Amino acid sequence: MKPIVGSIVALVTPMNEDGSVDYDGLRRLIDWHISQGTDCIGVVGTTGESPTVSVQEHCEIIRVSVEHAAGRVPIMAGAGANSTREAIELTRFSKSVGADCTLQVVPYYNKPSQEGIYQHFKAIAEAVDLPVVLYNVPGRTVADMLPETTLRLAQVPGIVGIKEATGNIERAAWLIKHAPKGFSIYSGDDGTAVALMLLGGHGNVSVTANVAPRLMHELCVAAIDGQVQRAREIHLRLLSLHKQLFCEPSPAPTKWAMSRLGLCRPDVRLPIVPLTEAGQALVERALREADLL
């Protein structure tokens, strides 16, 4: 796989009013992101409501995304699970339909040891010949994959990068300094992504890109190229949006913002509930601060 560099949208899964997946809406979003310069589309991650789609829906979202992208943009398929066997099966399916790589989250709820985390990811990489991007987000999974474990996994063939979503810039710098050549470090935290990329990171797996894909692409280009003034300018323009898209449980704020821009409906699945009026006011203000309205 050619290394992915730049803005990777953590794409929402659009839904109809009755709660079913809006596959036509998904296709429209893919076309829009390609036209806006998004460098890679990540599907069925946390922002894509992976915890509440069925296995059949999960697989169909990946299949439709790959089919519709048709090679125009790489597809990073969310295939993580807290069962290693399930993650392997999702990865096999992703490979069978032509996904470019998978995103594999640290097993959640189980609270595995560092050795358990290592063996989990190693088993996936060895079972399926498809590039793996690791995903560390201890705020959601409870288990934290330590940098030493990440660097150990970076030596495993087929493991090509990490989405580091702790927002800890010192940790990111450590990984950037010590990772082997060819192992990509991506931010998974919009608010600190610019710093990670200016330090030598390779891109940003972004929630904000759902709402401002062109700006996020330009931010990544500027930061990776060391254009500090331009990167700072875009980051500050988007700063309120980075914050307010998490003013209530995700992806409710993001879907509401997208509905405000006419991109998809605001519908989410329980246990996530629609954005409250107070949340709507915060997101509306952030959209205006970013000059998106």
Side-chain angles (χ1 to χ4, degrees):
M1 181 187 75
K2 181 181 178 182
I4 294 168
V5 177
S7 176
I8 305 164
V9 62
L11 192 67
V12 303
T13 297
M15 294 178 181
N16 298 304
E17 190 173 7
D18 64 2
S20 60
V21 176
D22 179 5
Y23 291 104
D24 287 338
L26 175 62
R27 295 180 179 97
R28 288 192 296 271
L29 287 177
I30 290 169
D31 288 337
W32 183 62
H33 275 282
I34 292 170
S35 72
Q36 292 290 304
T38 294
D39 299 288
C40 175
I41 295 176
V43 296
V44 220
T46 312
T47 308
E49 294 177 83
S50 58
T52 55
V53 298
S54 69
V55 173
Q56 291 76 19
E57 288 170 327
H58 192 132
C59 291
E60 184 65 1
I61 292 164
I62 294 171
R63 189 196 68 79
V64 168
S65 298
V66 172
E67 177 185 73
H68 192 70
R72 294 176 293 164
V73 65
I75 297 295
M76 180 182 290
N82 62 346
S83 159
T84 306
R85 288 185 179 184
E86 182 180 340
I88 289 172
E89 288 305 310
L90 287 171
T91 301
R92 282 184 177 140
F93 178 84
S94 299
K95 178 178 173 62
S96 74
V97 297
D100 295 272
C101 60
T102 64
L103 185 67
Q104 299 284 349
V105 70
V106 169
Y108 41 86
Y109 192 80
N110 305 23
K111 297 180 70 173
S113 66
Q114 294 302 303
E115 183 62 23
I117 292 171
Y118 174 80
Q119 293 295 342
H120 170 80
F121 289 128
K122 180 172 179 286
I124 296 166
E126 290 178 345
V128 187
D129 183 19
L130 185 66
V132 168
V133 176
L134 310 171
Y135 177 18
N136 188 41
V137 58
R140 289 186 178 273
T141 63
V142 182
D144 183 7
M145 181 166 60
L146 298 179
E148 294 78 8
T149 303
T150 301
L151 294 173
R152 186 181 173 201
L153 283 163
Q155 305 297 327
V156 175
I159 297 181
V160 299
I162 183 172
K163 174 185 175 183
E164 176 51 56
T166 62
N168 184 324
I169 293 303
E170 182 180 1
R171 174 181 289 203
W174 181 267
L175 291 174
I176 290 165
K177 179 177 180 178
H178 293 287
K181 185 177 180 180
F183 186 82
S184 299
I185 315 295
Y186 305 110
S187 173
D189 177 66
D190 281 307
T192 58
V194 66
L196 183 147
M197 290 184 285
L198 286 169
L199 284 168
H202 301 86
N204 181 28
V205 184
S206 173
V207 174
T208 300
N210 281 285
V211 179
R214 174 63 65 183
L215 284 170
M216 184 50 66
H217 167 74
E218 292 177 359
L219 171 61
C220 291
V221 168
I224 292 168
D225 286 350
Q227 301 171 32
V228 179
Q229 184 172 343
R230 177 59 176 157
R232 181 173 60 227
E233 173 189 311
I234 301 172
H235 174 67
L236 293 176
R237 178 176 171 181
L238 294 175
L239 190 60
S240 292
L241 202 56
H242 295 335
K243 179 180 179 180
Q244 301 306 345
L245 290 182
F246 290 90
C247 67
E248 293 178 18
S250 180
T254 302
K255 280 191 164 181
W256 186 86
M258 294 173 73
S259 73
R260 186 71 179 81
L261 298 175
L263 297 169
C264 70
R265 294 185 55 84
D267 302 279
V268 289
R269 283 187 181 175
L270 287 170
I272 304 301
V273 295
L275 192 63
T276 64
E277 288 188 10
Q280 291 175 21
L282 293 172
V283 174
E284 174 89 6
R285 189 176 306 123
L287 287 170
R288 293 191 181 279
E289 282 187 31
D291 293 326
L292 296 174
L293 286 176

